[in-house]
């Protein structure tokens, strides 16, 4: 991070959301560094709400004096390069959080750097605080790609210390303020919505209904629920209710069905990379449904040894990505294994979505290791029950011996 004024910084690419923080930054960067600013807004499936449209964000940026604005549609790249690997890795940080914000950051940074290179900028700037994971994800990625680039973080270095002071700054500088009383800090993309701040910072308080924007309250969701059938090919979701779909629309479709059944509300005490414990709330209807379905199909085709080993690989993958180390070669090393396992994750899964719950209820796969003939309790099973006798004798050998020895020791 550099906080140096003027001089060596001549052109800055700002990762611009169109919200209050980064709108103030647009102006502040120009004034503080006497530099040209280029703004960059990506579409990764976020809802724009009061920001209106990408065109409105672009107009606002030009009005605030940027030299050039980029709007880039990254939905497909995000879905293919970031969401699919997360599904294949059953990516749930601390068993809960589907990493939606975490996987968006490296992608946004890679594109900010691309623009910086094209425009000959010497710095990028972003709207993250100094307390979270997102600053780590952006800075680590940027510095890996371009060790010489400066990463500016005005929220840490500027003089404004509260949202109220930002509103004041905005008013003074002719920056339109759309939502001055916004309570929560949110981040959205097609895989999930994160919501923090205000009453959510009190873990002993139940998150209020207004912290949710995507999902129906489970208590008010339809009694009957719905069954969704998801088809997979080599670990990649390819159809919903037997209708083939490309990945961006597929995520949208699963989102719609899960959200109307109240699925995807998450709440947990998260261990951030910077050491803080933080109470986090999310709405990830598509992620929760797709990961549950994928995990179950994978379990169906893998041996118990693979299932046990992959759980620890998945956990490692999730931690690495959460911690902002997308660029670390370990991620691709782990993915080599993850992709190999996923080469057999083909088939379909039915998930019951009912009043906030997503529960797998049926599955099928040409690679299933389940065999009805072996497993059935009906007559005619091919499983030789007499073989179990010898197995039990040897399987328990050491445990039996140890138990007896321990018992005699205690006498
Ligand atoms: N705790 C989550 C993560 O580290 C979400 C961060 C959300 N960011 C935000 N601006 N609200 O990925």
């Amino acid at each position: 991070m550099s906080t140096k004024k003027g001089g060596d910084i001549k052109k800055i690419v700002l990762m611009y959301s169109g919200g209050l923080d980064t709108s103030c930054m647009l102006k502040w960067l120009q004034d503080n560094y006497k530099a040209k600013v280029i703004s960059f807004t990506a579409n990764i499936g976020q809802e724009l709400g009061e920001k209106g449209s990408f065109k409105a964000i672009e107009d606002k940026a030009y009005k605030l004096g940027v030299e050039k604005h980029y709007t880039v549609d990254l939905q497909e790249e995000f879905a293919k390069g970031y969401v699919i690997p997360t599904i294949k890795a059953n990516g749930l940080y601390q068993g809960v959080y589907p990493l939606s914000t975490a996987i968006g950051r490296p992608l946004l940074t890679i594109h900010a750097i691309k623009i910086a290179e094209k425009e000959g900028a010497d710095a990028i700037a972003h709207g993250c605080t100094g307390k979270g994971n997102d600053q780590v994800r952006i800075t680590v990625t940027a510095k890996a790609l371009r060790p010489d680039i400066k990463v500016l973080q005005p929220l840490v270095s500027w003089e404004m210390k509260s949202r109220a002071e930002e509103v004041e700054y905005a008013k003074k500088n002719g920056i339109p303020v759309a939502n001055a009383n916004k309570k929560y800090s949110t981040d959205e993309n097609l895989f999930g919505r994160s919501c923090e701040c205000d009453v959510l910072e009190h873990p002993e308080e139940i998150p209020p209904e207004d912290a949710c924007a995507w999902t129906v309250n489970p208590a008010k969701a339809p009694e009957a629920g719905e069954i969704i059938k998801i088809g997979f090919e080599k670990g990649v979701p390819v159809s919903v209710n037997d209708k083939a779909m490309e990945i961006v629309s597929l995520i949208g479709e699963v989102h719609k069905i899960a959200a109307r059944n109240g699925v995807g509300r998450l709440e947990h005490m998260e261990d951030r990379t910077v050491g803080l414990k933080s109470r986090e709330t999310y709405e990830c209807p598509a992620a929760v449904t797709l990961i549950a379905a994928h995990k179950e199909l994978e379990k169906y085709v893998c041996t118990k040894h693979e299932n046990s080993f992959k759980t620890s690989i998945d956990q490692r993958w999730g931690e690495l990505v959460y911690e902002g180390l997308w660029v670390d070669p370990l991620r691709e090393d782990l993915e080599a294994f993850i992709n190999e396992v996923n080469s057999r994750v083909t088939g379909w899964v039915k998930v019951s979505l009912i009043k906030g719950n997503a529960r797998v209820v049926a599955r099928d796969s040409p690679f299933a290791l389940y065999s009805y003939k072996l497993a059935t309790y009906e007559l005619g099973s091919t499983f030789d029950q007499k073989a179990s006798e010898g197995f039990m004798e040897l399987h328990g050998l050491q445990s039996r011996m140890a138990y007896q020895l321990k018992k005699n020791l205690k006498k």
Side-chain angles (χ1 to χ4, degrees):
M1 186 183 62
S2 166
T3 54
K4 219 166 137 204
K5 289 189 186 191
D8 50 341
I9 295 176
K10 296 192 174 58
K11 209 184 252 192
I12 306 164
V13 174
L14 173 69
M15 297 161 82
Y16 184 52
S17 73
L20 179 66
D21 288 341
T22 51
S23 293
C24 289
M25 271 168 219
L26 268 189
K27 200 90 195 118
W28 185 85
L29 288 168
Q30 295 174 63
D31 293 346
N32 194 61
Y33 292 96
K34 309 279 172 257
K36 295 208 162 98
V37 174
I38 290 167
S39 47
F40 156 54
T41 307
N43 177 3
I44 50 171
Q46 69 272 40
E47 268 163 30
L48 295 177
E50 303 196 2
K51 292 170 193 162
S53 63
F54 287 104
K55 179 71 176 69
I57 293 174
E58 174 176 339
D59 290 346
K60 192 168 170 184
Y62 278 117
K63 225 183 99 197
L64 297 174
V66 298
E67 188 187 63
K68 201 166 174 183
H69 177 83
Y70 284 81
T71 303
V72 192
D73 186 348
L74 296 177
Q75 292 182 90
E76 198 178 329
E77 191 175 336
F78 180 57
K80 288 190 173 155
Y82 298 78
V83 172
I84 288 175
T86 305
I87 294 171
K88 286 184 178 175
N90 304 306
L92 295 176
Y93 180 65
Q94 299 193 313
V96 177
Y97 164 46
L99 298 163
S100 43
T101 293
I103 54 176
R105 301 308 180 189
L107 172 69
L108 298 179
T109 310
I110 288 165
H111 282 270
I113 293 288
K114 262 190 198 162
I115 294 169
E117 282 176 344
K118 195 168 151 217
E119 298 290 339
D122 27 44
I124 64 164
H126 61 78
C128 302
T129 72
K131 284 186 159 184
N133 300 310
D134 292 331
Q135 54 171 352
V136 180
R137 296 164 183 155
I138 292 173
T139 303
V140 170
T141 307
K143 289 282 185 186
L145 268 55
R146 280 292 302 267
D148 59 327
I149 203 101
K150 295 194 176 64
V151 181
L152 309 177
Q153 197 171 355
L155 271 185
V156 174
S157 55
W158 70 14
E159 46 288 331
M160 289 164 270
K161 292 291 163 247
S162 68
R163 200 169 164 86
E165 284 180 37
E166 284 181 35
V167 171
E168 206 178 297
Y169 176 89
K171 284 186 178 151
K172 235 189 268 163
N173 287 280
I175 300 165
V177 180
N179 196 355
N181 303 319
K182 193 173 153 241
K183 283 198 281 190
Y184 303 118
S185 160
T186 57
D187 178 68
E188 286 181 357
N189 60 49
L190 48 85
F191 208 47
R193 174 177 186 270
S194 310
C195 188
E196 302 170 319
C197 298
D198 201 63
V199 67
L200 301 173
E201 288 173 349
H202 299 277
E204 69 284 2
E205 299 284 345
I206 298 170
E209 195 54 32
D210 71 357
C212 294
W214 279 9
T215 53
V216 166
N217 184 327
K220 296 190 178 131
E223 293 292 328
E226 277 172 83
I227 304 280
I228 189 173
K229 181 181 178 189
I230 300 163
F232 286 88
E233 233 164 72
K234 297 189 196 301
V236 179
V238 291
S239 66
V240 176
N241 295 333
D242 291 321
K243 192 172 159 225
M245 293 178 111
E246 56 82 31
I247 188 68
V248 174
S249 344
L250 183 144
I251 295 167
E253 182 67 9
V254 176
H255 174 122
K256 199 174 75 190
I257 301 172
R260 68 185 177 218
N261 286 289
V263 167
R265 291 190 177 189
L266 306 168
E267 189 273 349
H268 86 133
M269 189 47 68
E270 192 167 293
D271 288 302
R272 285 193 188 164
T273 307
V274 296
L276 284 171
K277 260 196 201 299
S278 139
R279 184 299 181 88
E280 302 279 337
T281 66
Y282 302 97
E283 287 176 281
C284 305
V288 164
T289 308
L290 289 167
I291 291 173
H294 174 270
K295 204 171 176 178
E296 194 59 30
L297 187 61
E298 188 177 80
K299 203 165 132 209
Y300 196 43
V301 304
C302 284
T303 65
K304 69 174 180 183
H305 313 291
E306 287 179 300
N307 281 326
S308 156
F309 189 66
K310 186 159 185 296
T311 304
S312 61
I313 298 298
D314 288 348
Q315 188 185 331
R316 195 69 195 86
W317 187 92
E319 285 168 0
L320 197 70
V321 169
Y322 181 85
E323 287 165 6
L325 302 178
W326 185 265
V327 293
D328 194 285
L330 179 60
R331 179 180 58 80
E332 287 181 318
D333 300 342
L334 297 175
E335 282 174 9
F337 170 80
I338 290 170
N339 286 330
E340 180 62 28
V341 170
N342 271 279
S343 65
R344 284 173 289 135
V345 184
T346 294
W348 59 255
V349 180
K350 286 182 183 172
V351 187
S352 154
L353 304 170
I354 179 166
K355 286 194 156 298
N357 290 309
R359 191 166 54 91
V360 171
V361 287
R363 78 286 285 151
D364 194 20
S365 169
F367 298 106
L369 289 177
Y370 172 86
S371 155
Y372 172 80
K373 270 197 172 153
L374 284 170
T376 181
Y377 285 106
E378 304 289 326
L379 275 176
S381 168
T382 51
F383 186 88
D384 180 3
Q385 296 193 45
K386 287 202 195 84
S388 288
E389 220 177 289
F391 167 75
M392 290 184 287
E393 179 70 24
L394 303 181
H395 178 68
L397 179 63
Q398 289 196 1
S399 310
R400 283 195 323 262
M401 282 170 70
Y403 186 89
Q404 285 299 322
L405 284 167
K406 219 170 141 185
K407 199 170 107 189
N408 293 337
L409 253 180
K410 277 187 197 145
K411 273 182 191 161

